[in-house]
């Protein structure tokens, strides 16, 4: 089952200069890698193309430009996480989706 502490790990990790490491992510994700979740995400690719995110197999981090708008990136990243885990979360993502303009 998806533990909602992953959303906290994601939100906090992206606010650091080193970003979120795959090693740290896997400590909380039960062995699921960042690439498993974000590697095929259209949102992540769009953020990379816009110069807002950098992503490798081992680190997901915002660029200096992305840091200024990190709160607007998070809803799509959290949605990708939730989609990967099939919505099996005890938490509620509804408020976050509304900020990204997504219909529930």
């Amino acid at each position: 089952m998806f533990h909602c502490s992953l959303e906290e790990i994601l939100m906090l990790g992206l606010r650091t200069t080193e970003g979120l490491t795959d090693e740290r992510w896997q400590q909380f994700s039960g062995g699921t890698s960042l690439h498993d979740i974000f590697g095929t995400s259209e949102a992540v690719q769009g953020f990379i193309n816009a110069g807002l995110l950098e992503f490798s197999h081992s680190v997901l981090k915002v660029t200096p430009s992305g840091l200024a708008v990190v709160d607007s990136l998070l809803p799509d990243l959290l949605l990708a996480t939730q989609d990967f885990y099939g919505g099996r979360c005890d938490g509620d993502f509804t408020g976050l989706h509304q900020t990204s303009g997504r219909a529930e």
Side-chain angles (χ1 to χ4, degrees):
M1 173 170 265
F2 167 51
H3 300 285
C4 294
S5 62
L6 286 178
E7 69 182 32
E8 293 174 8
I9 299 300
L10 180 63
M11 290 187 292
L12 294 172
L14 290 178
R15 288 184 168 88
T16 65
T17 55
E18 57 274 344
L20 179 60
T21 66
D22 193 54
E23 179 181 353
R24 177 88 170 140
W25 180 260
Q26 287 192 38
Q27 289 176 346
F28 295 92
S29 70
T32 302
S33 73
L34 287 171
H35 190 264
D36 291 339
I37 296 173
F38 303 111
T40 60
S41 168
E42 290 180 22
V44 168
Q45 192 58 53
F47 296 147
I48 292 168
N49 292 342
L52 302 173
L53 274 183
E54 295 176 1
F55 182 52
S56 70
H57 288 284
S58 60
V59 179
L60 177 67
K61 67 181 186 175
V62 295
T63 64
S65 298
L67 190 57
V69 295
V70 69
D71 288 339
S72 67
L73 308 179
L74 285 169
D76 288 316
L77 298 174
L78 292 169
L79 181 61
T81 304
Q82 183 185 22
D83 287 347
F84 179 84
Y85 286 98
R88 297 168 291 171
C89 176
D90 296 330
D92 181 8
F93 289 85
T94 305
L96 293 170
H97 293 195
Q98 290 172 351
T99 63
S100 69
R102 294 185 183 276
E104 286 296 309

